[in-house]
Amino acid sequence: MAVGALKPRWGQPLTGIISFCFFFVMAMITWFIFSDPRGPIGWFPYPFVMYLAMMILVGLWQHMFLGDWPFQSIGQPLRGVIMTIANLVIVWFVIDVLFYRVLGTGFNFLSYYGLEAANAAGKLPKVAAAGASGKLAQIAVVCFVLIGFYSYPVFTIFFGKWPHMPSDLKQPAKGLAEIGWASMITLFCYAVLIAPFFGVVFPGAVLNPSWWTEIAGTSHVHWVFGWWEWAIVILFMTPNVWRMKPWSAITLPQPWKGLVSTAISFIAAYAIALLCRELIPLWVPADTLHHLEAAKGASEVQRFFWIHSAEIAGFTLIPFLIWHHYFDDMAPGSNVDSWGGFFFRTIGVFLFAAILYWIFYYGNFGHWGLGNHHMTELAERFSHGESLIWNFWWIIPLLWNEWFFHKWPFYVHEH
């Protein structure tokens, strides 16, 4: 009998509820093991955040570009197990070899070992040495992944895999060609938006300092985080709960459709980030801003506004991903692709994001649930919460189950 489309094993909404609970428990257990300061390893926030970020990016390469090659013919759950192991091996190779030992040979801020050696020899500026030199390399890798979260999948989502499709390329040539093209764009964006920050950390004539200081009010790379994270959210909500709306209304051929869609997403992302900056003081305690300004000046307050805008964006990840992948974009009415469904899910995502935000900061889940000891006082929670780390970690079990295990065992094939 032919194998058909996937369907929820227990119907809806029960399948979505069971999967949500499973992924939450899985995220909590693995968080305690690897990241929670009270756990056995305690990698909070670094290098934990670097590894989890690279795991998602490599997983995207494996599934979205390479189409699970060369394991696509293996049955589940063995395929998912093998792809997870392969992911961990590739992540180690990309970080420890490609970044630290290859790219880091030319750009020392990408080399953990190079920065540690320079620090031991007393060759680093005080601003860099005081911040733990090796951590700066880990930050540099995380920044590459931040750029890559948009610049890699955008060619699948907005450009319809242009310029590689349509073509007669087979895997792995097709996937490697797409990875190579997207990597060139990623490195270009990285050079413009990330490298100048390290010109501030390592002052000198070689690296230019942040060119965005005047427009952002801070030289920190968190200005990029503040609006780029919203661009990522817009990009991924497009094929998920938005079901390609409103971009499906653009009838231009590629690459023009992709270019217009990308431009609109960046404009919208920056506008939302600016709105967040205006609204944040409405609920964040004034003491939080006073403490930041007293510690490092007015620019530190501006830095906080930008990174907290990114953290607000991060709270939409769990709602829109679980809604799409495990609640099947449920909405009132029989047509999930209707504009009514579009607005229902959009409003719902932001409502659930607000609830999760309240639980994390005002309910202090970041402290009692995740072990972040910086969050005991309300005024300290917002500037030290590191909520993006948790939100990205929570979605890894979900994405792995979707990408590597193809929703096994929560979904079954129709016959």
Side-chain angles (χ1 to χ4, degrees), residues 118-119 121-133 136 200-204 296:
N119 189 30
K123 295 180 179 179
L124 290 185
K126 289 183 179 180
V127 65
S133 54
L136 289 170
V200 176
V201 178
F202 303 103
K296 295 185 180 180

Side-chain angles (χ1 to χ4, degrees), residues 72-238:
Q72 69 276 9
S73 299
I74 300 175
Q76 296 293 1
L78 182 59
R79 187 202 315 178
V81 173
I82 294 173
M83 290 189 67
T84 299
I85 295 173
N87 178 273
L88 297 175
V89 173
I90 297 170
V91 165
W92 168 83
F93 177 83
V94 170
I95 293 174
D96 203 75
V97 178
L98 186 58
F99 278 99
Y100 286 174
R101 302 176 190 274
V102 178
L103 296 175
T105 301
F107 301 95
N108 212 23
F109 61 81
L110 280 169
S111 173
Y112 178 93
Y113 307 111
L115 289 182
E116 288 288 284
N119 189 30
K123 295 180 179 179
L124 290 185
K126 289 183 179 180
V127 65
S133 54
K135 180 180 175 181
L136 289 170
Q138 295 168 354
I139 292 172
V141 173
V142 169
C143 289
F144 179 88
V145 176
L146 171 78
I147 298 297
F149 279 161
Y150 188 96
S151 57
Y152 281 98
V154 70
F155 290 102
T156 295
I157 297 172
F158 283 166
F159 286 85
K161 292 190 175 293
W162 177 92
H164 304 97
M165 294 295 288
S167 73
D168 58 357
L169 286 174
K170 307 296 182 184
Q171 296 292 9
K174 181 168 67 174
L176 293 175
E178 194 169 2
I179 291 173
W181 168 253
S183 294
M184 181 187 71
I185 303 300
T186 303
L187 289 170
F188 174 82
C189 294
Y190 188 88
V192 174
L193 295 171
I194 303 298
F197 168 68
F198 291 94
V200 176
V201 178
F202 303 103
V206 176
L207 291 175
N208 285 325
S210 303
W211 53 265
W212 56 80
T213 302
E214 293 300 320
I215 61 175
T218 176
S219 62
H220 205 283
V221 74
H222 283 163
W223 172 71
V224 181
F225 278 66
W227 57 272
W228 195 270
E229 186 61 42
W230 277 110
I232 294 169
V233 167
I234 291 171
L235 177 69
F236 277 98
M237 283 187 70
T238 296

Side-chain angles (χ1 to χ4, degrees), residues 232-243 320 346 349-350:
I232 294 169
V233 167
I234 291 171
L235 177 69
F236 277 98
M237 283 187 70
T238 296
N240 288 284
V241 296
W242 286 346
R243 302 176 71 87
F320 80 70
T346 301
V349 164
F350 286 103

